[in-house]
Amino acid sequence: MPCIAAILKAIEKIENFLCYTGLLGITYLTFVLVVNRYLIHWEVMWLGDFTQYLFVFMALCAIAFTTREDGHTSVDILSQVFLSGKPRALRAYKTVIHALTLVTLCLFHGPVLQFATRAMKRPSYGTMVPWFNTSWLIVTCYVMLVLCILHTAMSLVGQIPLFAGRKEAE
């Protein structure tokens, strides 16, 4: 169990790093684009495309990040209004939501894996930057799907009283 916890902690740190640096990178690149376009009057054509690619990559990373933090898998208003003060019902609700989410993600796994495999075999290049291979975005999408499956499975396991007690103790 300590080995799994260490792996999950490493994944968490990598996700945090990618999200934070991606957000900062997008902010700085957008600033550079605006300064170049409106103050210097010199536009770097590929910089705009690169900023968009970085935004898509960061958004995909954020999906896994928010799944880990239990931000995508539930509608909190429903549980707050109807299940406040009912811990067993709330746990059952979260268990059902996580189970349905896990089933849905697993259903998407096969088609996304085929799509990612095809993207690795046949590269696709950008429009404004013809030398820039954009297939990595599809591969990133697959990796984030796998991370979402992992995080949802861990959240589902966390709803089981036997494991939830251990998690609260830690």
Side-chain angles (χ1 to χ4, degrees):
M1 244 3 209
C3 181
I4 293 173
I7 291 170
L8 291 174
K9 194 69 169 169
I11 290 172
E12 179 180 334
K13 286 183 179 187
I14 291 169
E15 287 174 350
N16 289 348
F17 175 78
L18 290 175
C19 285
Y20 297 144
T21 55
L23 188 58
L24 285 174
I26 291 166
T27 303
Y28 291 132
L29 287 174
T30 303
F31 177 76
V32 168
L33 281 167
V34 170
V35 168
N36 277 346
R37 183 179 298 154
Y38 296 109
L39 295 180
I40 302 173
H41 302 290
W42 180 64
E43 187 171 357
V44 180
M45 295 300 284
W46 61 268
L47 197 56
D49 276 7
F50 183 71
T51 304
Q52 289 176 346
Y53 295 141
L54 185 60
F55 176 77
V56 170
F57 177 75
M58 197 268 318
L60 290 170
C61 291
I63 292 170
F65 178 92
T66 53
T67 301
R68 182 189 75 220
E69 298 297 324
D70 202 16
H72 274 302
T73 57
S74 66
V75 179
D76 292 334
I77 191 75
L78 293 175
S79 60
Q80 290 173 358
V81 170
F82 296 114
L83 302 174
S84 64
K86 301 174 186 173
R88 287 180 133 176
L90 183 61
R91 183 175 294 238
Y93 170 77
K94 284 189 173 189
T95 302
V96 168
I97 292 297
H98 288 306
L100 288 173
T101 302
L102 188 59
V103 167
T104 304
L105 290 171
C106 288
L107 286 173
F108 280 111
H109 180 267
V112 174
L113 176 60
Q114 289 175 352
F115 197 52
T117 304
R118 186 174 45 229
M120 288 190 303
K121 288 180 183 175
R122 296 182 191 93
S124 175
Y125 295 95
T127 53
M128 295 294 284
V129 190
W131 50 266
F132 190 73
N133 184 357
T134 60
S135 296
W136 64 273
L137 288 172
I138 297 176
V139 175
T140 302
C141 189
Y142 174 72
V143 170
M144 294 311 141
L145 176 69
V146 170
L147 287 173
C148 286
I149 290 171
L150 172 72
H151 294 318
T152 304
M154 293 306 296
S155 294
L156 183 61
V157 168
Q159 295 302 316
I160 299 171
L162 175 69
F163 298 111
R166 286 184 188 172
K167 189 175 180 182
E168 290 169 4
E170 291 175 359

